[in-house]
Amino acid sequence: EMTDALLFLHLLSAAALFAAVFVFSAVALGARMEPGGVGVSLGLWRAGLVGVFVFGVALALDIDGTELWDVWVLIALVLWFAAGGAGEQLAAAHRKAGGAALPQAAVGAHWFTVLLVLLLLADMVWKPWA
């Protein structure tokens, strides 16, 4: 069924997003990482963001009783948009630092992004105002 395939792809995209968050968190905590590893993580971040959005919107349109203007869907879209650029910022800060410790501003922005991603997950699970 189409809904099952969309849900699988949506969850697979979310897994890519969480894998990137995990790696970026290690970097934010001071782990040393080769530029290639950060590049792979950035690729996971980008693919996860695009997939979560595309398959999430497709699911909202596909599932009976769910609309794009439902409050919990709108909350998810706002959280998705807010979190979107953070992976790019952390990767850019890592490149600029050249393997040295990241600036506190980049670390703080990362932890704010982690909060946004966790809120996005909570929104998907509990669907407030559904």
Side-chain angles (χ1 to χ4, degrees):
E1 185 175 320
M2 180 60 106
T3 302
D4 292 338
L6 290 172
L7 182 59
F8 171 76
L9 293 169
H10 184 65
L11 292 174
L12 187 63
S13 299
L17 199 62
F18 275 97
V21 167
F22 181 79
V23 172
F24 289 149
S25 294
V27 170
L29 290 170
R32 302 283 183 223
M33 180 171 283
E34 295 295 321
V38 173
V40 169
S41 298
L42 187 55
L44 284 172
W45 176 258
R46 290 173 178 164
L49 278 175
V50 170
V52 162
F53 177 79
V54 169
F55 299 121
V57 167
L59 273 169
L61 296 172
D62 186 61
I63 296 174
D64 291 335
T66 302
E67 304 296 338
L68 286 176
W69 52 84
D70 288 349
V71 174
W72 70 273
V73 175
L74 293 174
I75 290 170
L77 291 171
V78 168
L79 290 169
W80 174 87
F81 184 75
E88 304 284 339
Q89 291 174 354
L90 192 67
H94 185 270
R95 279 191 300 274
K96 188 174 179 181
L102 293 174
Q104 275 306 112
V107 172
H110 167 71
W111 293 118
F112 181 69
T113 301
V114 169
L115 175 65
L116 292 173
V117 171
L118 290 174
L119 288 171
L120 184 57
L121 176 63
D123 182 59
M124 292 290 104
V125 171
W126 288 291
K127 297 173 181 48
W129 300 286

